[in-house]
Amino acid sequence: MVETSVFENAFVEDFDAVSRGFFYQSPWRSLWTQGCFSRLTTPVAGAEQPDGAFQCQLRQQFSEAKQQGIQNPIMVGAIPFDASQPSALFIPEASHFFDRQQLAGGFTDTPLPTVTSRTALPDHAAFTDMVAQAVNATSQGELDKVVLSRLMDITTERPVDTAMLMRRIINQNPTSYNFHVPLPDGGSLLGASPELLLRKQNGEFSSCPLAGSARRQQDRQQDNAVGQRLMHSSKDRYEHKLVTDAMRDVLQSRSSLLSVPETPQLVTTPTLWHLATWINGEARDPRDNALSLASLLHPTPALSGFPHARAQKLIAQLEPFDRHLFGGIVGWCNEAGDGEWVVTIRCGTVHNTRVRLFAGAGIVPDSSPESEWNETGVKLDTMLRAFGLQ
């Protein structure tokens, strides 16, 4: 395996080829890969256990890769929302780490194919009815929170060039976790996630869940006021606390040290304000790797709800589609156990002329069906902007 920290001058010029493989851009360590040594399509259910079946299979795959001359094997790819479903993970033949800053401003914006149709799934009436049912369920005490999502199906007049789309995503979202994952069916999963699920280096780990959102404004004074309203919103603070409390409970037994601040902070994307909390800790078990800790957390209440089992059951009842990789996680883990996984949101899949975009929102007793429709619409804007459709 070739692993480099020096960014080759030819990288931007050859970005079309680079971005059609696994591509992952992060403020910590950015990565692109070449080739595929082996695939791991086995569901990752149970991967939170260091001695579980999946982790044993992963170690075996790493060993076989090293026997074939790959010096520092790494696993990359995507894991679905439902960890019992097949994953889209693989060990590449070569990997290259780079500094994301060396991509800043490196691309000329180019247009994408003309969109010939857009279809919401479900439509406005069906989605707001879903939310109303979920509000009733949370109000009746059946669960505290559930995350409901919707899709947008787009058709283009000619196949979408995913390299061109990635250029636009990077230009428009320079601080996000930008990713491209080649899928076994020939399609691609790509997006600009704002949310870090788990980063691990040596024995230390970090997570930064987002829960609670508000649309940004062009006027700076109005925009700042929106952020302050979000920070003091009892509905959004309640939703956020459900997430951080649940993550604290899950991580406590696996940590020798754990810090979960009581008060969230404000973070921004080009379209939204978010409530965020940086969680930091040290793993108690040296056998834990980035994947085992990420699997322990996935999916967090920010993507499913709380309690998880009840939320997942209600999602299956209300959503008229299977999320598959949407609402899952994307990232990497190396043989030493280091790695990073982000939540698969602000994303879509592309297959020739067919594009499917995804967005979700957390539903609690104070949620308004119309507001949640609007919030998911703003979240769809990240990918719609890449197509020039916002």
Side-chain angles (χ1 to χ4, degrees):
M1 173 181 289
V2 179
E3 186 172 330
T4 62
S5 59
V6 178
F7 195 90
E8 298 90 344
N9 290 333
F11 183 85
V12 173
E13 297 175 8
D14 198 31
F15 185 76
D16 283 16
V18 167
S19 63
R20 289 192 177 99
F22 179 82
F23 176 86
Y24 180 83
Q25 192 181 24
S26 161
W28 180 46
R29 300 182 73 184
S30 297
L31 168 71
W32 62 280
T33 72
Q34 293 171 292
C36 174
F37 171 75
S38 62
R39 289 195 176 276
L40 294 88
T41 58
T42 305
V44 299
E48 68 276 9
Q49 299 301 328
D51 290 329
F54 188 90
Q55 292 285 353
C56 290
Q57 180 190 10
L58 177 59
R59 286 193 289 271
Q60 179 63 31
Q61 294 272 18
F62 279 154
S63 177
E64 292 175 2
K66 291 178 73 173
Q67 290 174 17
Q68 296 300 314
I70 300 176
Q71 295 180 358
N72 300 297
I74 187 170
M75 179 189 66
V76 302
I79 293 169
F81 170 73
D82 182 351
S84 68
Q85 294 181 348
S87 56
L89 301 168
F90 66 97
I91 295 176
E93 295 174 341
S95 68
H96 312 264
F97 286 94
F98 66 93
D99 183 348
R100 70 177 298 156
Q101 295 303 318
Q102 292 165 294
L103 266 183
F107 298 128
T108 301
D109 205 2
T110 51
L112 289 166
T114 300
V115 170
T116 57
S117 69
R118 282 193 282 177
T119 304
L121 178 68
D123 62 17
H124 177 270
F127 182 81
T128 52
D129 180 65
M130 281 167 47
V131 174
Q133 292 183 62
V135 168
N136 183 64
T138 59
S139 299
Q140 296 299 318
E142 296 176 27
L143 70 174
D144 296 307
K145 171 186 175 179
V146 62
V147 178
L148 294 180
S149 60
R150 64 183 178 102
L151 307 177
M152 181 175 290
D153 286 332
I154 291 175
T155 304
T156 57
E157 65 177 0
R158 55 185 173 82
V160 176
D161 183 335
T162 56
M164 191 180 300
L165 182 56
M166 279 307 305
R167 290 194 208 103
R168 293 174 65 94
I169 289 172
I170 291 168
N171 282 346
Q172 296 172 7
N173 304 275
T175 62
S176 296
Y177 299 90
N178 302 316
F179 58 86
H180 175 273
V181 183
L183 302 178
D185 65 0
S188 298
L189 170 71
L190 64 176
S193 177
E195 185 167 358
L196 172 68
L197 178 68
L198 195 287
R199 174 188 302 154
K200 182 177 181 293
Q201 184 174 26
N202 301 321
E204 298 181 351
F205 65 82
S206 300
S207 180
C208 189
L210 307 182
S213 306
R215 185 170 197 158
R216 300 196 64 187
Q217 304 296 311
Q218 290 187 349
D219 179 82
R220 180 178 296 181
Q221 195 169 25
Q222 293 178 356
D223 189 44
N224 288 335
V226 168
Q228 289 305 308
R229 282 197 297 272
L230 176 64
M231 183 59 120
H232 295 93
S233 163
S234 57
K235 177 259 185 188
D236 291 286
R237 290 287 290 267
Y238 169 74
E239 181 186 343
H240 189 83
K241 192 172 188 302
L242 285 174
V243 173
T244 55
D245 284 353
M247 293 178 70
R248 178 193 288 110
D249 291 344
V250 169
L251 289 168
Q252 194 76 59
S253 64
R254 300 283 279 267
S255 307
S256 55
L257 291 174
L258 184 65
S259 171
V260 185
E262 289 296 325
T263 303
Q265 62 188 67
L266 289 169
V267 299
T268 60
T269 71
T271 57
L272 285 164
W273 286 93
H274 289 289
L275 293 180
T277 294
W278 273 100
I279 297 172
N280 296 290
E282 293 183 9
R284 185 186 303 275
D285 189 338
R287 298 173 302 166
D288 264 321
N289 60 21
L291 177 64
S292 65
L293 292 174
S295 297
L296 185 70
L297 292 172
H298 173 65
T300 73
L303 269 295
S304 64
F306 186 81
H308 171 65
R310 293 180 189 173
Q312 197 164 32
K313 182 178 179 180
L314 188 58
I315 289 168
Q317 291 173 355
L318 295 178
E319 290 185 354
F321 51 82
D322 191 321
R323 291 186 183 182
H324 296 297
L325 294 174
F326 295 142
I329 55 177
V330 168
W332 60 275
C333 179
N334 65 17
E335 189 184 24
D338 297 340
E340 187 172 70
W341 297 90
V342 299
V343 178
T344 316
I345 54 176
R346 315 294 195 273
C347 62
T349 54
V350 175
H351 199 289
N352 295 321
T353 60
R354 302 190 308 276
V355 179
R356 172 163 279 192
L357 308 182
F358 167 86
I363 312 303
V364 293
D366 289 342
S367 295
S368 157
E370 191 65 28
S371 294
E372 303 304 335
W373 171 265
N374 293 334
E375 179 177 322
T376 51
V378 176
K379 290 174 177 177
L380 287 170
D381 276 355
T382 296
M383 291 299 291
L384 289 173
R385 285 170 63 242
F387 282 89
L389 296 174
Q390 75 276 17

